[in-house]
Amino acid sequence: MTRLLDVRSLETTFSSDFGEKTVLNEVSFQIDKGEILGIVGESGSGKSVTALSIMGLLAANGRVSQGEVYFQGVDLLALDEKELDRVRGNRLTMVFQDALSSLDPVFTIGSQIMESIRAHLRLPRQEAWRRAVGLLDQVGLTDPERIMAAYPHTLSGGMRQRAMIAIALACDPDLLIADEPTTALDVTIQAQIMALLGRLRRDTGMGLILITHDIGLIAEMADRVLVMYAGQVVEQSDVHTLFDQPAHPYTRALMLAVPTLLDSRERRLRPIAGVVPENYESMTGCRFRDRCRYAVSACAEPQALEAFSLQAGERLPDPGHLVRCHRAAAGELPTTESVLLQPAAAVVSP
Amino acid sequence: MTGDRPLPGLATPAYDDSPLLTVSELRRHYYARSRRLFASRQTIRAVDDVSFNLYEGETLGLVGESGSGKSTLGRQLVGLERPTAGSIHYRGHVLSRLDAREMAPIRTDLQMIFQDAYASLNPRKPIFDILAAPLLYHRLETRKTVERRVDELLAMVGLAAGAKARYPHEFSGGQRQRLGIARAISVKPRVIVCDEPVSALDVSIQAQILNLLLDLQDELGLTYLFIGHGLPVVNYMSDRIAVMYLGKIVELAPAEELFRRPLHPYTRALIAAAPVPDPRLRRSDVELLEGDIASNVTPPGGCSFHPRCPLAEAGCRLEEPALTMVRSYGERPADRHLLACPVAARDLMTKEAVT
């Protein structure tokens, strides 16, 4: 069986007057039919560039400088624009975070959905219209017929975002790449959209790449997860293993820095000191080492993505849990339990 | 690192019984021209009959979806917006009755931290000017002493003294929020309205700012109104939480109780919708709210939540529910659980009568 999407050692480079910058290194992953891959990371970690590289939507000064992207067995990077357009918007679609700039202000929502339906599915006008109304209804928009006739600027941010998602789903895509699709939305609307995406994956076998900074959304939705930091994948695993045994110090730090409704009231958040290094693409070693509490001098050496070991000397034959940290791979880090359960603050007696 | 101290004000809030600030029947309406000619103008009820107390030393969290009126309420509290009706009492003054001159000394007591820190800092002024201006205007410092105070403020928010000579664009998002906080605390306020102060920040930076706010509260005895739309963040910061829907408070309770035993159907839906960062606790089918927040131009009659409410009865369409006390977890007024839903209140009574 061919994979739905197979990305191999993707590397993306941007050029400017000051020279070239390789902002993405060695990104590899696969996704099968009906699978949800979560990509989690902060701004500047390379999650959006990964998506744009796959879609062939990089800005003019950006290019995929290495690697392969196979979608249903076809090398997307080898296609010309015309061939790519037959795949994009049809079997492979994307939702962007900023819906206002992705919608055309001079066309109604209806005509923008129908454009996609008619271009790819060749449906007669009336049928396309019915399908479009149905889609708007599915994404939770009340009064879909009114919204068909509305222009983007007359809708609220949440409504626009949902219209965008309707366009992306218009042709029953095999794979949807959703880049922070609900970041600007309220939690109740976010829950509606996530339920819809989950339903589509179950009913139609749609694959989904969910790009987010929200580790809660990852836990809720993803089957497998890539954790990205400064243009690299630092950890890769199935979702249960990631939350039970987060291996990379960055993943662990991220989990400790985020408040959750599961916390006891006494838990004190532990911030990650410092910020993402500015010129990370020129760093040779681990890019997190300046902020890492476990950093040693060997961290300045290049780090490979290796299988994670729980304890020193142990070699887990688990090729499914990879980590870009020589200390985690060697089992030199404290176990996750002891990290997560350490008293973060003196417990206040009630 | 200042991380290993007890959380200020969480387990044993230091506030006493008499409120520092009282909001009563506050309304803020905006008027918009109707789209049709000759039609009457439209009234947008951003804040619609809101009453609550703010006790000294506490953090009152304010959650609600966009359009629920939480930011408008916050801006009214610091005097950036005038109420359409109702009043805000602060230490013997009724804020809306004061003119600009009378308001000036009170403004220093009531400060605000904004979501978009960059937009709240003048891009053409160096940080020293930005921080010194309010100190000189309110005569809290003289030209001679102001520099020392600016240094002190920068140190309090974790920035180097060298920041003084730099301009806002030279700072990262987290640092700009630190500057916003430095300016807010510079005039020695008692109440700070924090309007989504970390919503625009990266997750690894959010915790830095939240902990800074907790530390400063502890150090300076501040009272916070903390506005947010992310429940986990509001829960982390707050002693009590008020839930707003379409310009009204629908539930107000101690934070822990609100999350453990939410009573209002809207609060329940909000909590159910928040993602939980544990894949083992994945819910197969959560009760999802249908539809959208209604318009505050033509809010539904009766309880404005009834079109989306799973508990709605015929009476909910007719009568607007009042915020009333349904239980109390202690002696103090701040221990009360207030609810604006007669149906949920009745269910609670029957349940308690059975057990």
Side-chain angles (χ1 to χ4, degrees):
Chain A
M1 203 192 100
T2 48
R3 301 260 187 200
L4 188 53
L5 185 74
D6 190 348
V7 176
R8 296 182 197 161
S9 331
L10 192 66
E11 185 188 285
T12 299
T13 304
F14 284 90
S15 52
S16 72
D17 296 348
F18 306 105
E20 299 216 313
K21 273 188 176 182
T22 299
V23 296
L24 210 62
N25 289 104
E26 281 182 64
V27 175
S28 301
F29 60 87
Q30 291 84 36
I31 173 166
D32 285 326
K33 200 167 175 300
E35 204 178 11
I36 299 183
L37 175 78
I39 302 184
V40 66
E42 298 175 77
S43 43
S45 62
K47 18 186 231 309
S48 296
V49 174
T50 303
L52 296 173
S53 303
I54 294 168
M55 294 292 292
L57 291 174
L58 290 169
N61 63 339
R63 65 192 163 86
V64 174
S65 39
Q66 235 180 70
E68 288 139 65
V69 178
Y70 290 97
F71 176 66
Q72 296 176 326
V74 179
D75 186 359
L76 291 184
L77 300 177
L79 300 183
D80 62 33
E81 278 292 307
K82 216 172 136 197
E83 292 167 318
L84 204 52
D85 275 339
R86 247 172 273 150
V87 179
R88 271 193 314 220
N90 185 13
R91 287 181 291 148
L92 171 65
T93 56
M94 180 163 174
V95 178
F96 302 88
Q97 181 180 355
D98 181 5
L100 188 57
S101 59
S102 343
L103 290 168
D104 194 322
V106 300
F107 291 101
T108 61
I109 299 291
S111 69
Q112 296 187 54
I113 303 183
M114 283 171 55
E115 178 193 7
S116 172
I117 297 175
R118 283 167 59 86
H120 295 295
L121 303 183
R122 314 213 168 275
L123 289 179
R125 221 186 133 69
Q126 279 208 322
E127 237 171 275
W129 195 84
R130 269 201 301 276
R131 190 183 170 87
V133 172
L135 283 161
L136 289 175
D137 188 48
Q138 264 194 14
V139 295
L141 287 167
T142 37
D143 202 358
E145 293 177 17
R146 183 181 67 81
I147 289 171
M148 286 287 287
Y151 288 89
H153 74 270
T154 63
L155 303 179
S156 73
M159 291 163 100
R160 282 198 291 259
Q161 191 64 29
R162 283 178 280 173
M164 261 314 292
I165 293 170
I167 294 173
L169 298 175
C171 301
D172 291 329
D174 296 325
L175 178 64
L176 172 68
I177 302 179
D179 188 1
E180 305 266 9
T182 53
T183 301
L185 303 184
D186 289 318
V187 281
T188 57
I189 306 297
Q190 168 173 287
Q192 285 174 12
I193 298 223
M194 289 302 144
L196 170 69
L197 294 178
R199 230 172 22 244
L200 284 171
R201 158 287 254 281
R202 258 197 324 275
D203 300 348
T204 70
M206 180 183 82
L208 174 66
I209 297 179
L210 180 64
I211 298 174
T212 178
H213 67 274
D214 183 347
I215 209 142
L217 217 49
I218 291 286
E220 199 113 295
M221 295 292 292
D223 302 312
R224 286 187 306 117
V225 187
L226 300 185
V227 182
M228 292 193 72
Y229 184 79
Q232 291 177 326
V233 174
V234 294
E235 187 163 0
Q236 187 165 349
S237 144
D238 75 85
V239 70
H240 289 280
T241 310
L242 188 83
F243 281 85
D244 287 343
Q245 292 294 344
H248 198 280
Y250 173 67
T251 314
R252 293 177 175 195
L254 204 56
M255 290 180 176
L256 289 169
V258 180
T260 81
L261 292 182
L262 302 174
D263 295 337
S264 81
R265 308 269 313 149
E266 287 82 24
R267 196 190 97 154
R268 176 96 174 175
L269 293 183
R270 292 213 235 139
I272 306 177
V275 291
V276 180
E278 253 170 54
N279 287 312
Y280 62 73
E281 60 288 332
S282 58
M283 287 175 81
T284 43
C286 170
R287 294 172 177 180
F288 185 61
R289 66 177 189 269
D290 294 339
R291 305 173 78 184
C292 181
R293 57 197 295 194
Y294 305 112
V296 293
S297 56
C299 298
E301 303 295 319
Q303 307 285 313
L305 206 54
E306 306 172 76
F308 168 60
S309 303
L310 202 50
Q311 275 158 18
E314 174 206 33
R315 260 289 163 215
L316 269 186
D318 179 9
H321 190 185
L322 302 178
V323 58
R324 194 184 295 278
C325 169
H326 68 101
R327 296 203 70 193
E332 287 174 16
L333 298 185
T335 60
T336 336
E337 280 84 3
S338 62
V339 174
L340 295 178
L341 296 179
Q342 259 173 46
V347 176
V348 186
S349 56
Chain B
M1 227 0 232
T2 47
D4 293 54
R5 288 188 294 109
L7 280 186
L10 266 191
T12 47
Y15 47 86
D16 63 28
D17 281 6
S18 56
L20 180 65
L21 189 141
T22 298
V23 171
S24 32
E25 293 168 30
L26 197 68
R27 289 170 203 270
R28 178 69 174 123
H29 295 178
Y30 297 103
Y31 302 100
R33 233 184 316 157
S34 173
R35 283 197 209 124
R36 275 177 306 165
L37 195 62
F38 304 124
S40 59
R41 60 182 186 171
Q42 294 182 311
T43 306
I44 299 155
R45 299 158 199 276
V47 173
D48 198 15
D49 192 9
V50 165
S51 303
F52 63 88
N53 289 328
L54 196 57
Y55 297 98
E56 182 140 33
E58 79 166 336
T59 299
L60 177 64
L62 202 54
V63 290
E65 292 174 272
S66 40
S68 63
K70 46 193 200 306
S71 289
T72 307
L73 180 60
R75 294 169 62 83
Q76 282 182 296
L77 225 61
V78 296
L80 286 176
E81 302 243 5
R82 293 214 151 222
T84 308
S87 57
I88 300 167
H89 292 260
Y90 173 74
R91 305 181 70 198
H93 304 279
V94 179
L95 295 191
S96 49
R97 292 204 197 120
L98 303 179
D99 61 29
R101 202 171 44 88
E102 293 167 318
M103 187 69 189
I106 293 175
R107 273 189 205 279
T108 60
D109 271 17
L110 309 172
Q111 287 293 308
M112 184 147 176
I113 299 167
F114 301 89
Q115 176 178 356
D116 188 350
Y118 190 51
S120 70
L121 300 170
N122 186 340
R124 299 197 295 177
K125 294 231 159 113
I127 299 308
F128 178 80
D129 289 10
I130 291 174
L131 290 179
L135 297 171
L136 298 172
Y137 175 84
H138 290 290
R139 307 198 178 176
L140 295 166
E141 304 291 336
T142 62
R143 289 251 162 232
K144 270 194 198 139
T145 60
V146 73
E147 180 152 8
R148 224 179 66 201
R149 176 69 177 151
V150 169
D151 289 346
E152 184 186 36
L153 286 166
L154 288 171
M156 283 171 88
V157 298
L159 291 173
K164 281 187 298 204
R166 292 160 66 194
Y167 287 82
H169 73 268
E170 299 176 63
F171 295 88
S172 69
Q175 290 172 324
R176 284 172 196 159
Q177 197 52 282
R178 287 176 192 272
L179 291 168
I181 294 169
R183 185 178 51 186
I185 62 171
S186 68
V187 292
K188 303 197 166 134
R190 298 178 64 154
V191 178
I192 298 182
V193 172
C194 310
D195 190 2
E196 307 221 14
V198 298
S199 301
L201 302 179
D202 256 325
V203 275
S204 76
I205 309 298
Q206 284 189 5
Q208 296 177 6
I209 299 298
L210 294 175
N211 284 354
L212 173 65
L213 286 171
L214 288 175
D215 289 340
L216 289 173
Q217 179 172 44
D218 203 22
E219 236 166 85
L220 308 174
L222 294 167
T223 304
Y224 289 147
L225 181 76
F226 190 91
I227 302 171
H229 71 264
L231 287 174
V233 169
V234 175
N235 181 39
Y236 179 64
M237 295 298 290
S238 309
D239 303 306
R240 294 192 301 147
I241 295 175
V243 181
M244 277 188 89
Y245 189 78
L246 270 185
K248 292 177 197 298
I249 292 178
V250 295
E251 187 164 6
L252 199 169
E256 204 168 344
E257 296 300 334
L258 191 88
F259 283 99
R260 199 184 292 165
R261 278 186 288 254
L263 296 174
H264 197 283
Y266 177 64
T267 314
R268 287 168 183 251
L270 268 188
I271 293 173
V276 175
D278 184 344
R280 277 169 305 198
L281 300 177
R282 227 176 250 197
R283 288 97 21 116
S284 49
D285 258 312
V286 270
E287 252 183 71
L288 286 182
L289 268 191
E290 297 283 327
D292 246 326
I293 190 164
S295 142
N296 43 17
V297 177
T298 48
C303 168
S304 51
F305 185 59
H306 84 254
R308 302 171 80 186
C309 182
L311 301 181
E313 297 175 353
C316 300
R317 246 161 269 182
L318 305 171
E319 209 165 325
E320 196 178 301
L323 192 64
T324 48
M325 186 180 97
V326 289
R327 23 160 68 143
S328 188
Y329 308 100
E331 300 293 305
R332 302 162 313 158
D335 297 326
R336 291 174 187 161
H337 196 139
L338 309 178
L339 177 67
C341 176
V343 181
R346 195 188 60 212
D347 289 354
L348 180 72
M349 296 304 160
T350 16
K351 217 187 293 166
E352 282 182 346
V354 171
T355 50

